[in-house]
Amino acid sequence: MLDASRPKNTAAAAVPATLYIIAAPSGAGKTSLVKAVVDATPGLMVSVSHTTRPMRPGEQQGVHYHFVDQPTFQNMIAAGVFLEHAKVFDNYYGTSISAVQDTLRHGVDVILEIDWQGARQVKSQLPECIGIFILPPSRATLDQRLRVRGQDGEDVIARRMRDAVNEMSHYADFDYLVVNDDFDTARKDLQAIIRARRLGIKAQTVRLHALLEQLLK
């Protein structure tokens, strides 16, 4: 028989879900990597943040972000809506507590694409979350990636590089480091972290309840 200390009736329980924080300096390829991993991984989604920045061409309300004005965002802060919020490049970004918790309760893993400031806020409230930091292979590569966009002038690129160095200096706040040199390798590294987490004892005890009952009776 199963040991009395083992969880009972776990067959009906939801498989424990994980909250992942993925951060990176601008230009490191975080967004593309996350999209590729989510597209290839069932039961994984990206949290849709609120932001005060203007909507860009091709973006959709509620799909890429929840776009709000600054007074609305400030009211949401006062109401305690956000798990984390930060000001980045003169705009505010925030993650809804209720949206994240509801998704996790349904057994779906959640990714937050946030910076190191937001990561610290989340870690302080949910220390069990997993932090992953994505690095570029070199400063030269990072500078080149920022320029390839063709969207910013020299002053903006210089500021983004300074901010990138500051962002990277907080790498030790995270649990894993992934270098995005070769895209496919970096994608597989991210998937390996998620796969390993799902093979952990808590998740597997629920997922394999019937097998454990059969093996240990």
Side-chain angles (χ1 to χ4, degrees):
M1 296 293 291
L2 283 172
D3 189 279
S5 64
R6 296 179 183 271
K8 299 182 184 300
N9 299 321
T10 52
V15 176
T18 299
L19 176 62
Y20 296 94
I21 299 170
I22 300 184
S26 180
K30 173 184 66 178
T31 301
S32 298
L33 281 172
V34 168
K35 183 180 185 306
V37 170
V38 170
D39 288 347
T41 309
L44 177 67
M45 66 169 289
V46 179
S47 175
V48 180
S49 300
H50 288 74
T51 184
T52 61
R53 77 158 173 77
M55 189 184 302
R56 295 170 182 165
E59 290 184 330
Q60 299 177 44
Q61 176 72 273
V63 176
H64 297 91
Y65 286 98
H66 298 293
F67 296 95
V68 298
D69 57 25
Q70 291 210 14
T72 299
F73 196 97
Q74 294 294 338
N75 289 337
M76 294 174 75
I77 293 175
V81 169
F82 296 124
L83 176 62
E84 60 80 29
H85 64 276
K87 187 176 183 180
V88 183
F89 299 135
D90 302 323
N91 291 298
Y92 289 93
Y93 296 81
T95 302
S96 165
I97 298 173
S98 60
V100 169
Q101 291 180 333
D102 185 60
T103 303
L104 292 173
R105 276 196 296 269
H106 283 83
V108 177
D109 294 329
V110 178
I111 291 176
L112 300 186
E113 293 184 68
I114 54 180
D115 69 350
W116 69 270
Q117 300 174 75
R120 281 189 175 178
Q121 293 178 52
V122 175
K123 280 275 191 180
S124 68
Q125 299 182 66
L126 301 172
E128 69 276 13
C129 69
I130 302 298
I132 305 170
F133 197 90
I134 299 172
L135 292 168
S138 67
R139 281 203 194 187
T141 300
L142 186 62
D143 181 81
Q144 181 184 27
R145 289 175 181 174
L146 290 174
R147 293 178 186 280
V148 165
R149 296 177 176 182
Q151 299 175 346
D152 303 316
E154 287 296 326
D155 57 334
V156 175
I157 291 174
R159 186 180 73 166
R160 287 184 180 274
M161 283 297 296
R162 289 194 300 271
D163 290 339
V165 173
N166 178 59
E167 182 82 18
M168 290 186 292
S169 71
H170 296 280
Y171 74 90
D173 290 349
F174 295 77
D175 302 295
Y176 295 90
L177 282 175
V178 172
V179 178
N180 185 17
D181 186 0
D182 175 75
F183 184 87
D184 195 48
T185 299
R187 174 184 59 79
K188 290 177 180 177
D189 287 344
L190 284 175
Q191 288 177 302
I193 294 168
I194 294 168
R195 179 65 176 162
R197 180 71 178 181
R198 289 182 173 183
L199 292 173
I201 191 66
K202 288 184 179 180
Q204 288 290 71
T205 297
V206 176
R207 191 179 289 113
L208 302 178
H209 173 78
L211 174 61
L212 290 169
E213 286 278 12
Q214 178 188 12
L215 293 173
L216 302 178
K217 67 182 179 181

